[in-house]
């Protein structure tokens, strides 16, 4: 239930390109939460450390000046765009709740560069600090010379957040950064040291392994023989960023455990049981909307390695050609991995795996759903494989797995572990394996659709695995005999021969997987068994079931469709008549017109309200749905207040069939408002004359919504204002005594999440 800032709909791409050209001076600036103000400092390659640094006309010059300064809550450090610095950026100080310290850019041009060049462990570093936000930097940390055999790899990271003071450190936001070319060494937890190579070493244990790469969150202790209290990181967000060609990992979290030689074992990051009281994980961790690739390094080994975490969300990322594992969770609780596109995962650096997803050892309450996994070595590995850790639970549902070259679902579950696997679509042409591995843990397969051009792919059938009511393409001769409710036939996919488009730096293309939806005549339609607690939504956000029963596979019948899109560019300039292109327009005593803003070829609709009129509807532009839209629906639009007045404009309001607003977003008096349940909450500020992209992702099944402004998550999983089983109307409007003007452009209302639309 999320939206990727970097992803622009195909229907609006041309219009937005035009907008960018015409409005070069009116950039879509993210609406920021209203934090307490501090001092803004400027840093430029043309500055001087003798300057005050508090204006762009008198900036500082060096990283050493910044690093020697202890900043205060609310301060902002801005580096000039187009400039570059070599060495380490490590500003001191901490923010407080409601007033973080921020790093950002200023001016026009490329993101300012911080290049560690392998001379420092972290090109950008924080240590025992909290309440920091880092945006719009270009960060690298590669040794510039050396051989290509791994000898130049070292203990390097692009951005490193560290702590060892025995406290809980809060609020770390890394947003819209580009981290690349980090020559981090590869250290494995286990294996044999006989397999060591330059830059690659085995049998390192928990604390000494897997802690290099692009962005890392790591805690330790000041004395391994007297560890004291744990340091916990809370409130971690990495979003809208690119991480390229970094080794070991793209993004990693790791809590200290104390298993190095000579250390006192703490167990903070590792645990032997699900309720181990020593386990003290990080909390509230989100990785969203990032592009991660290791296509041009032979030492990349994990896209996202999420360990020692309780309460994690990994969503909307594109993970492209990384080594070993796209997303691996380990020693983690309550993690959801969803709406990601993962492709091209391969063997690397002595690792044995090449999977897209891996809920690994010591993981409980893992939900892996709505992911598009294609052209990987392996689809999903369930690797609860430590004989000393006999617990774990995972749900795998509504994933699309295609093009695996080795395994599709590989089981390596110890006794005591539980995997519930249902409503996945698994289709391949090359792999001889469907369900493989050695397993003593319990696994249940229900409503999965297995399709292969191979006639006899492997399905392991130990007594610990239950197959029930799965679907199989009719050519399969090796389907499990224990599946007495098997459904067999031709899948009748929309287009199984699809070869793209696939995700890239602009975001995932989850919609491509919709080609594996069933056509209405398929034998697998309405043939699924009822699964309790199934989330109520299929891969595309449609309600489950649509018909008399759930479908087999990841989709309810039919490919998801776009309900509505309009750029207004083809309309005549002037008053917009009610009924034009299906729009409901009310302009009594006021004005609703198509205008040439931002340009004659990129028009918008302007609503102007100067006096009373229109009753409850007021001055109103609305889209009505005679059959209310159900499931997950994304409402995406560009809006701009363009007046000197401060009246309340709903931008937009979403209504149920009874006419009551269930989701409400408003721009008024310089503030952006959203109702969370029945409470009006100020979530940010806006600037008059600037365009903002407002994206609502509305889930009518679970009665919740998310709100993004220019791709920045402002509201997550909030309750509806009133019950709304289906969306009957979406309106941009103002009424009563409110006055002012607003522009609306590039409206798109689509079924499913905003990812991949």
């Amino acid at each position: 239930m999320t939206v990727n800032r970097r992803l622009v709909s195909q229907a609006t791409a041309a219009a937005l390109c035009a907008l960018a050209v015409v409005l070069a001076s009116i950039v879509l600036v993210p609406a920021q939460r209203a934090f307490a103000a501090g001092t803004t400092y400027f840093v430029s390659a043309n500055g001087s450390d003798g300057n005050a640094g508090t204006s762009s006309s008198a900036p500082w010059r060096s990283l050493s000046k910044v690093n020697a300064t202890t900043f205060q809550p609310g301060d902002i450090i801005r580096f000039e765009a187009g400039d570059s610095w070599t060495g380490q950026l490590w500003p001191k100080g901490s923010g407080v709740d409601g007033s973080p310290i921020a790093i950002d850019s200023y001016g026009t041009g490329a993101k300012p560069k911080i290049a560690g060049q392998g001379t420092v462990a972290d090109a950008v570093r924080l240590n025992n600090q909290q309440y920091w936000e880092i945006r719009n930097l270009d960060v690298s940390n590669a040794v510039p010379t050396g051989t290509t055999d791994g000898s130049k790899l070292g203990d390097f990271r692009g951005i490193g957040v560290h702590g060892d003071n025995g406290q809980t450190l809060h609020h770390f936001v890394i947003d819209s950064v580009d981290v690349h070319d980090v020559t981090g060494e590869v250290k494995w937890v286990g294996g044999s040291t006989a397999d060591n190579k330059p830059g690659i070493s085995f049998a390192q244990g928990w604390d000494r392994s897997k802690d290099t790469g692009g962005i890392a969150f790591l805690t330790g202790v000041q004395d391994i023989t007297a560890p004291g209290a744990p340091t916990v990181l809370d409130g971690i967000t990495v979003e809208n960023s690119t991480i390229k060609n970094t080794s070991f990992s793209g993004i990693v979290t790791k809590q200290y455990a104390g298993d190095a030689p000579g250390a006192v074992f703490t167990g903070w990051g590792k645990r032997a049981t699900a309720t181990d009281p020593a386990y003290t994980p990080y909390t509230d961790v989100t990785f969203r909307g990032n592009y991660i690739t290791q296509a041009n390094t032979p030492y990349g080994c994990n896209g996202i390695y999420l360990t020692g975490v309780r309460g994690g969300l990994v969503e909307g990322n594109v993970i492209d050609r990384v080594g070993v594992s796209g997303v691996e969770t380990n020693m983690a609780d309550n993690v959801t991995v969803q709406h990601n596109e993962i492709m091209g995962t391969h063997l690397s650096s002595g690792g044995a795996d090449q999977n897209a997803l891996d809920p690994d050892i010591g993981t409980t309450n893992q939900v892996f759903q709505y992911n598009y996994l294609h052209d990987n070595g392996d689809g999903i590995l369930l690797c609860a494989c430590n004989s000393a850790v006999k617990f774990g639970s995972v749900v795998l549902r509504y994933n699309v797995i295609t093009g695996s070259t080795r395994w599709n679902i590989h089981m390596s579950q110890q006794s005591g572990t539980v995997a519930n696997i249902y409503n996945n679509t698994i289709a391949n042409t090359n792999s001889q394996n469907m369900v493989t591995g050695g397993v003593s843990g319990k696994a249940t397969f229900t409503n999965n659709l297995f399709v292969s051009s191979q006639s006899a792919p492997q399905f392991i059938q130990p007594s610990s695995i239950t197959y029930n009511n799965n679907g199989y393409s009719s050519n399969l001769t090796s389907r499990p005999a224990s599946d007495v409710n098997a459904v067999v036939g031709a899948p009748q996919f929309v287009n199984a021969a699809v070869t793209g488009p696939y995700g890239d730096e602009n975001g995932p293309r989850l919609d491509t997987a919709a080609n594996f939806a069933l056509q209405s005549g398929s034998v697998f339609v309405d043939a699924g068994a009822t699964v309790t607690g199934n989330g109520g939504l299929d891969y595309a956000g449609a309600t489950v079931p649509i018909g008399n029963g759930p479908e087999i596979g990841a989709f309810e019948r039919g490919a998801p469709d776009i309900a509505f899109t309009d750029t207004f560019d083809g309309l005549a300039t002037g008053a917009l008549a009610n009924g034009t292109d299906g729009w409901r327009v009310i302009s009594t005593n006021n004005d609703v017109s198509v205008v040439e803003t931002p340009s004659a070829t990129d028009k918008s609709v302007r609503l102007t309200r100067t006096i009373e009129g229109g009753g409850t509807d007021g001055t109103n532009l609305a889209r009505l749905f005679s059959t209310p839209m159900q499931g997950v629906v994304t409402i995406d639009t560009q809006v701009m207040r363009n007046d000197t007045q401060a009246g309340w404009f709903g931008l937009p309001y979403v209504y149920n069939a009874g006419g009551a607003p269930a989701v409400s977003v408003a721009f008024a008096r310089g503030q952006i408002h959203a109702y969370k349940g029945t409470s009006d909450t100020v979530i940010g500020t806006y600037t008059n004359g600037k365009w903002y992209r407002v994206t609502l992702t509305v889930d009518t099944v679970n009665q919740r919504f998310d709100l993004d402004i220019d791709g920045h998550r402002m509201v997550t999983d909030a309750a509806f204002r009133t019950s709304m089983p289906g969306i009957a109307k979406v309106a941009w409007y103002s009424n009563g005594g409110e006055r002012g003007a607003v522009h609306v452009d590039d409206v798109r209302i689509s079924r499913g999440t905003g990812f991949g639309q």
Side-chain angles (χ1 to χ4, degrees), residues 10-76:
Q10 299 300 301
T12 62
L16 293 179
C17 287
L19 177 69
V21 172
V22 175
L23 292 185
S25 63
I26 305 180
V27 180
L28 296 184
V29 176
Q32 298 297 319
R33 292 172 176 82
F35 292 134
T39 302
T40 299
Y41 297 89
F42 297 85
V43 188
S44 169
N46 296 315
S48 169
D49 289 347
N51 290 336
T54 53
S55 72
S56 59
S57 60
W60 292 338
R61 179 182 180 88
S62 71
L63 294 182
S64 60
K65 179 67 174 179
V66 177
N67 296 345
T69 303
T70 299
F71 295 92
Q72 302 303 312
D75 287 353
I76 303 175

Side-chain angles (χ1 to χ4, degrees), residues 438-463:
V439 58
S440 55
K442 181 179 179 180
T444 302
F445 287 80
T446 309
N447 294 348
N448 300 285
L449 179 53
F450 297 102
V451 177
S452 178
S453 60
Q454 307 292 324
S455 62
Q458 182 182 12
F459 292 88
I460 58 170
Q461 300 180 57
S463 60

